[in-house]
């Protein structure tokens, strides 16, 4: 408790501690609105900010084509890029806490690779199947890999390290099978799968928004409700059990949430790497390691990263578009090497 001088009132330290977090969240929200607004405005067909607001609100615009460009072409793409970033960043933050390893990431530990294998299999072997089943297939692939990681890693004090090592090995295996599926597919289906694997939100419509939105709306609050359990697991299994935590059950719930968020995001946008690695680290530098603060900040940073990467990929070399996954990889790879070098002794 903190006592205000010359006053009988006491302010809980938790309230004082949350003030910087609130400022960080507000700043990130402002940056997010700015990036999304710029992404809606700029492009081959520039749209004035006033027309963007009118189009989003359903009001008549000065140029009738502006409403079509904003609502039909750009807004679904912008929303999907932000939602995908939120999902991947939250999944990465959970995995880092779950494994007690700062280098964990849905792409590195194999979750994304499992989702990719299932999605590519669906695209190549069952091209006539509606894309509505793609998120379910990707979630199934990610869930299977997540269960294999958990089962093969075993138990004990070395569990966090084994979780990552087993995940890396499974990622390599899943990648090999994905390549095998591409080898035997029809050229049109393989081309579609390769575009998907590059990690892009180009050409996405409102159909994909409604497919992804329920996964984020359901599992993101669930993740926020489990932050206390995640903090407890950070103390180690022995201490967590001593505090009354059902370690196996809590770890299973957190793994399921992480897999659901990563799998659904990968299903819609493809394999966008390193967002789940970078966003939690940036959030940890801003608000510290407590997960009730870390998760929402990481989610906003992840959404901002993917939305900004998609905007830059769409405009930097126009009319050529670069997949946002390429830009996140270009930024994330040196950052990953930096983290490896920084922690080479541990």
């Amino acid at each position: 408790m903190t006592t205000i001088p010359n006053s009988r009132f006491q302010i809980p330290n938790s309230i004082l501690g949350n003030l910087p977090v609130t400022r960080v969240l507000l700043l990130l929200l402002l940056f997010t609105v700015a990036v999304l607004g710029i992404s809606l405005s700029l492009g081959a067909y520039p749209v004035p900010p006033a027309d963007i607001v009118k189009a989003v609100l359903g009001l008549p615009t000065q140029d009738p084509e502006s409403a079509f460009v904003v609502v039909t072409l750009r807004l679904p793409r912008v929303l999907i890029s932000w939602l995908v970033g939120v999902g991947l960043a939250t999944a990465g933050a959970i995995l880092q806490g779950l494994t007690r390893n700062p280098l964990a990431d849905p792409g590195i530990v194999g979750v994304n690779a499992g989702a990719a294998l299932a999605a590519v299999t669906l695209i190549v072997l069952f091209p006539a199947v509606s894309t509505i089943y793609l998120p379910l297939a990707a979630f199934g692939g990610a869930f299977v890999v997540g269960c294999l990681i958990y089962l093969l890693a075993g138990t004990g004090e070395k569990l966090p390290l084994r979780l990552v090592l087993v995940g890396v090995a499974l990622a390599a295996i899943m990648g090999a099978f994905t390549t095998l599926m591409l080898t035997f597919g029809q050229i049109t289906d393989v081309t579609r799968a390769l575009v998907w694997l590059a990690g892009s939100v180009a050409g996405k419509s409102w159909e994909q928004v409604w497919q992804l939105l329920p996964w984020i709306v359901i599992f993101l609050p669930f993740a926020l409700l489990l932050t206390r359990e995640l903090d407890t697991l950070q103390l180690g299994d022995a201490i967590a059990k001593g505090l009354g935590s059902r370690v196996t059950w809590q770890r299973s719930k957190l793994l399921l949430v992480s897999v659901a968020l990563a799998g659904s995001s990968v299903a819609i946008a493809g394999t966008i790497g390193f967002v789940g690695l970078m966003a939690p680290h940036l959030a940890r530098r801003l608000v510290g390691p407590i997960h009730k603060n870390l998760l929402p900040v990481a989610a906003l940073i992840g959404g901002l990263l993917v939305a900004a990467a998609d905007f830059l990929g769409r405009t930097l070399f126009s009319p050529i578009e670069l997949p946002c996954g390429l830009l996140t990889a270009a930024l994330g790879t040196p950052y990953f090497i930096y983290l490896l070098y920084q922690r080479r002794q541990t």
Side-chain angles (χ1 to χ4, degrees):
M1 302 290 286
T2 301
T3 304
I4 301 176
N6 302 322
S7 172
R8 296 180 180 178
F9 297 99
Q10 291 181 321
I11 299 178
N13 289 332
S14 60
I15 296 178
L16 294 176
N18 282 338
L19 289 177
V21 179
T22 303
R23 294 193 189 104
V24 170
L25 289 171
L26 288 175
L27 284 174
L28 287 173
L29 285 172
L30 288 175
F31 278 122
T32 299
V33 171
V35 169
L36 298 187
I38 292 172
S39 186
L40 289 173
S41 176
L42 300 182
Y45 188 93
V47 179
D51 280 356
I52 292 175
V53 175
K54 291 178 181 178
V56 172
L57 295 177
L59 302 175
T61 58
Q62 293 182 351
D63 185 356
E65 292 185 4
S66 297
F68 174 78
V69 170
V70 171
V71 176
T72 304
L73 299 182
R74 291 183 185 168
L75 187 56
R77 176 173 181 166
V78 167
L79 288 176
I80 287 174
S81 66
W82 185 78
L83 289 172
V84 165
V86 168
L88 291 175
T90 306
I94 293 173
L95 281 176
Q96 288 179 14
L98 194 61
T99 62
R100 303 201 299 275
N101 191 315
L103 300 180
D105 166 82
I108 295 171
V109 302
V111 174
N112 285 3
L117 175 59
V120 168
T121 301
L122 188 69
I123 293 172
V124 172
L125 296 185
F126 307 99
V129 175
S130 172
T131 55
I132 195 172
Y133 297 109
L134 199 58
L136 292 175
F139 170 74
F143 182 74
V144 169
V145 170
C147 291
L148 287 173
I149 292 172
Y150 191 70
L151 292 173
L152 295 175
T155 58
E157 289 299 321
K158 296 294 184 180
L159 175 62
L161 176 62
R162 288 200 301 270
L163 282 171
V164 176
L165 294 177
V166 171
V168 170
L170 287 176
I173 295 171
M174 296 297 114
F177 277 108
T178 300
T179 303
L180 184 65
M181 295 303 303
L182 294 173
T183 302
F184 290 101
Q186 297 293 325
I187 185 63
T188 53
D189 301 326
V190 169
T191 302
R192 180 185 165 203
L194 287 174
V195 171
W196 181 88
L197 284 172
S200 175
V201 294
K204 303 302 180 183
S205 65
W206 285 104
E207 181 183 0
Q208 283 79 40
V209 174
W210 301 128
Q211 289 175 7
L212 177 60
L213 188 61
W215 295 81
I216 304 297
V217 169
I218 292 172
F219 286 98
L220 182 60
F222 197 18
L224 297 176
L225 290 174
L226 294 173
T227 53
R228 180 174 296 180
E229 287 79 0
L230 202 51
D231 288 331
T232 304
L233 291 175
Q234 288 272 277
L235 302 174
D237 289 4
I239 297 177
K241 289 178 181 177
L243 293 173
S245 175
R246 294 182 294 172
V247 172
T248 302
W249 172 239
Q250 301 298 350
R251 189 174 281 132
S252 300
K253 288 194 298 184
L254 287 162
L255 184 62
L256 174 64
V257 172
S258 177
V259 164
L261 290 170
S264 58
S265 300
V266 170
I268 297 298
T271 50
I272 299 177
F274 294 103
V275 175
L277 175 72
M278 293 186 292
H281 275 278
L282 296 174
R284 206 172 283 112
R285 290 179 180 272
L286 291 174
V287 297
I290 305 301
H291 284 92
K292 71 174 183 179
N293 301 328
L294 175 65
L295 252 64
V297 172
L300 288 177
I301 292 175
L304 190 59
L305 283 173
V306 179
D310 179 56
F311 168 69
L312 292 174
R314 180 168 59 86
T315 57
L316 278 180
F317 301 100
S318 180
I320 299 173
E321 288 194 13
L322 298 178
C324 55
L326 178 63
L327 294 181
T328 59
L331 180 63
T333 301
Y335 188 70
F336 181 63
I337 295 173
Y338 161 74
L339 290 176
L340 281 175
Y341 177 79
Q342 189 181 47
R343 298 174 183 276
R344 63 191 183 281
Q345 300 298 334
T346 58

